[in-house]
Amino acid sequence: DDFESYTAGAQLACQDTMQWNTWNGIPCDWMEDPLVSNSKAHTGLNSVWIQPYNDLIKTFPNYTTGKYSVEFYLYIPSGYTASWCQQGVFVNSDSTEWGFIAMFDPSGNGNIAGGGWGTAQFSFSYDTWIHNKLIVDLNSDWAEYYFEGSRVHGWQWTLGAGGDIIPLQLSVTNIMGFDFPNPPETAQWYMDDYKLVRIDTTV
């Protein structure tokens, strides 16, 4: 999704409830549903502006087999934070299992939770578009995170984000205006060119 088909200045999920939703399941919620922006873009004119307390969900079916790539570009203004995660299970906001979390701290350091908390670190640059990719292979129960084309970390997917066993499943992507343990007010970033692709089949 390059967000070119959406109206800048309006909320994303409010414009397309089939593709996007909020954590609380209420599109158009002014707290959780982020705005489409034309102030920055990786390609085209639009991106999604993630602000404090936004909690965006990219909806797709729960997958139990296959190998998938989840990737997008993000832009973090200097001194701000960003965070996103990939769920192993998401029935609703009260029934979820965390598969992976990426946190971008105000110090310019990234921190990964995959198979355990704080399992890998990396550095990132502010005020520029940066690429990240998560690959989840449900056929072999394995996941890998790549940042700017370099592999940062690999782990058994069913160990989840914190090292606790989760089902062998891939659920929604969660784009967050939070970055624990930093205050939510420090969160501000842009997302563009989101892709979810199954990569173990030939079409």
Side-chain angles (χ1 to χ4, degrees):
D1 198 332
D2 60 8
F3 309 108
E4 296 304 293
S5 63
Y6 302 100
T7 301
Q11 293 169 287
L12 175 62
C14 201
Q15 298 183 63
D16 186 354
T17 57
M18 297 298 294
Q19 299 294 325
W20 299 94
N21 207 332
T22 58
W23 181 267
N24 63 14
I26 307 174
C28 310
D29 181 286
W30 281 107
M31 180 71 75
E32 296 197 357
D33 194 355
L35 297 171
V36 176
S37 171
N38 60 8
S39 67
K40 290 180 174 57
H42 177 254
T43 58
L45 298 175
N46 290 347
S47 64
V48 177
W49 183 19
I50 308 299
Q51 299 181 73
Y53 299 99
N54 286 167
D55 216 347
L56 180 68
I57 295 293
K58 176 63 177 80
T59 58
F60 53 83
N62 291 327
Y63 298 121
T64 56
T65 61
K67 184 177 182 180
Y68 300 87
S69 170
V70 177
E71 61 182 294
F72 58 87
Y73 286 83
L74 65 162
Y75 182 107
I76 308 172
S78 182
Y80 286 95
T81 66
S83 184
W84 72 280
C85 70
Q86 187 63 50
Q87 302 290 351
V89 175
F90 183 84
V91 178
N92 53 52
S93 59
D94 295 322
S95 180
T96 185
E97 298 281 355
W98 305 80
F100 159 84
I101 305 174
M103 294 161 281
F104 300 81
D105 295 327
S107 60
N109 294 315
N111 188 25
I112 300 303
W117 297 103
T119 46
Q121 291 77 40
F122 58 94
S123 297
F124 67 91
S125 298
Y126 286 114
D127 303 314
T128 188
W129 287 100
I130 49 182
H131 181 256
N132 65 167
K133 176 192 290 187
L134 173 68
I135 295 177
V136 179
D137 189 344
L138 298 171
N139 301 322
S140 62
D141 190 14
W142 186 252
E144 295 181 336
Y145 177 70
Y146 292 81
F147 184 76
E148 290 286 78
S150 297
R151 182 180 179 274
V152 174
H153 184 50
W155 72 99
Q156 180 185 330
W157 176 249
T158 52
L159 287 178
D164 301 319
I165 298 297
I166 67 170
L168 185 61
Q169 180 176 283
L170 185 69
S171 189
V172 304
T173 305
N174 185 197
I175 307 296
M176 300 183 291
F178 304 87
D179 179 31
F180 305 108
N182 299 297
E185 289 75 15
T186 65
Q188 183 181 148
W189 58 288
Y190 297 83
M191 174 183 68
D192 203 1
D193 295 329
Y194 175 96
K195 294 181 183 179
L196 167 67
V197 181
R198 182 166 182 174
I199 58 177
D200 65 334
T201 60
T202 301
V203 178

